[in-house]
Amino acid sequence: MRLDNNIISLKADETRLKLGFDLESPIDFNNIVSAVKGLTLIEMPLSSKVSGMIFKSSTDKAVVVINSKKSYSECRIALGHELYHYYSNGLVKFVCPSSEILKKEDVEYDADMFSSYFLMPIGAFRKCFFNTCHGELNEKTLLYIEHYFGITREFLINRLINEKILNEQDANDYREQDVLWSSKINGFSTRIYEAKRSDDDIHVLGDYISTAKDLLDKGIISNSKYEELMLDAAREDIVFGRPSKDWYGCFYWYRLFIFVAMVKT
């Protein structure tokens, strides 16, 4: 059974405030990762049908994997989606389908709505549309909101429909627009619509990296062990000053999860 949107919106607002964010400003992707205690983020190429996945232990340590082949805006949305699962009680294990997958479980729809309200709180969204954009529903307004909050066209359309600002018939017209071309000719960057990472490298951020550094600084682990942990995390750039292309197998991140779940800080 799906939750009421008002309840989800309240939960999203509470989460933003808990993490030290206000209810007005857009949130930087990396700031979200660093604000969530115990969260390790892995950006890596996944199937086009998967936007992300999360594995959370009973100690609230968690590994979130985001599909780096998705666009920057899709990765932001996916991270917000996984945060909904992260703040669920107990052990969590979800593999989350891409937004274009039509059939989803109720909890996945709720996570999508949470991401919408987390990235675009009701007050901030309405202020952006009615004040900044003067309530004018047109191509430039959609582009402005998409870039302001760092979201996809479909994500915005769904929110506009949810807010009863846009109807389904008009929504299809906006869906059919070429957002890359539209952004260019209207003076916007195309960055949010492009792949977050253009290579096949794995990139690890968050708790795993900072915890290993803390253990090194406290003398609990040696420098060689620290470097081993960084290599396990595909962070050759920290050890050797260059990125890694070695995946250690598709499920290498399971080793990260064990470390993140078990280490005591």
Side-chain angles (χ1 to χ4, degrees):
M1 181 178 179
R2 294 179 61 182
L3 293 178
D4 182 84
N5 284 346
N6 290 325
I7 295 176
I8 297 175
S9 174
L10 179 60
K11 184 173 182 177
D13 286 352
E14 291 174 344
T15 302
R16 283 181 67 113
L17 295 174
K18 179 180 179 180
L19 296 177
F21 303 118
D22 60 37
L23 300 181
E24 295 289 333
S25 308
I27 309 177
D28 178 76
F29 184 90
N30 290 335
N31 287 346
I32 299 174
V33 178
S34 60
V36 182
K37 185 178 180 181
L39 176 67
T40 293
L41 175 73
I42 303 175
E43 298 174 338
M44 64 183 292
L46 299 171
S47 163
S48 61
K49 296 181 179 180
V50 176
S51 63
M53 55 185 82
I54 181 170
F55 304 88
K56 176 188 168 188
S57 73
S58 58
T59 62
D60 285 340
K61 294 280 188 176
V63 170
V64 167
V65 184
I66 298 295
N67 189 351
S68 61
K69 289 301 184 183
K70 297 291 185 179
S71 69
Y72 177 79
S73 52
E74 287 175 308
C75 288
R76 283 174 55 79
I77 293 166
L79 181 56
H81 178 109
E82 300 305 341
L83 283 183
Y84 179 82
H85 296 313
Y86 175 81
Y87 286 109
S88 299
N89 294 325
L91 294 168
V92 171
K93 181 175 71 174
F94 281 98
V95 177
C96 304
S98 296
S99 57
E100 60 266 22
I101 303 299
L102 297 179
K103 294 183 179 180
K104 295 184 180 181
E105 298 178 8
D106 286 347
V107 67
E108 292 297 296
Y109 280 109
D110 291 344
D112 283 345
M113 288 307 303
F114 175 89
S115 184
S116 178
Y117 290 123
F118 180 78
L119 296 175
M120 301 180 289
I122 290 179
F125 176 80
R126 292 178 178 174
K127 180 179 180 181
C128 184
F129 179 76
F130 291 107
N131 292 0
T132 306
C133 299
H134 310 292
E136 298 176 356
L137 189 60
N138 54 44
E139 182 181 18
K140 284 189 176 181
T141 291
L142 267 64
L143 288 169
Y144 179 85
I145 297 175
E146 287 162 11
H147 284 79
Y148 184 76
F149 289 111
I151 56 171
T152 65
R153 173 59 55 90
E154 185 62 27
F155 201 65
L156 175 56
I157 285 175
N158 289 336
R159 182 60 178 270
L160 289 168
I161 292 174
N162 183 261
E163 296 277 343
K164 302 187 186 312
I165 296 172
L166 181 65
N167 60 52
E168 283 287 355
Q169 182 176 354
D170 292 335
N172 289 329
D173 293 334
Y174 290 114
R175 287 189 176 104
E176 293 172 359
Q177 290 180 348
D178 183 339
V179 292
L180 288 174
W181 179 248
S182 180
S183 290
K184 290 178 181 179
I185 63 175
N186 282 285
F188 290 89
S189 166
T190 59
R191 179 70 184 89
I192 66 170
Y193 308 115
E194 298 168 353
K196 189 172 189 299
R197 302 189 68 83
S198 60
D199 50 41
D200 289 333
D201 294 345
I202 294 169
H203 200 67
V204 180
L205 300 170
D207 186 69
Y208 178 91
I209 304 300
S210 62
T211 296
K213 181 64 164 58
D214 288 343
L215 294 176
L216 175 66
D217 291 343
K218 294 175 182 177
I220 298 175
I221 61 174
S222 65
N223 190 68
S224 61
K225 182 62 178 180
Y226 171 75
E227 291 181 348
E228 178 187 337
L229 292 173
M230 291 302 98
L231 292 176
D232 279 348
R235 290 303 299 267
E236 288 188 5
D237 60 319
I238 293 177
V239 180
F240 303 119
R242 64 175 183 269
S244 172
K245 292 183 180 296
D246 188 351
W247 286 22
Y248 298 98
C250 294
F251 297 101
Y252 92 100
W253 37 260
Y254 184 72
R255 295 180 64 187
L256 297 188
F257 178 60
I258 296 299
F259 174 80
V260 170
M262 300 301 295
V263 71
K264 294 180 180 180
T265 58

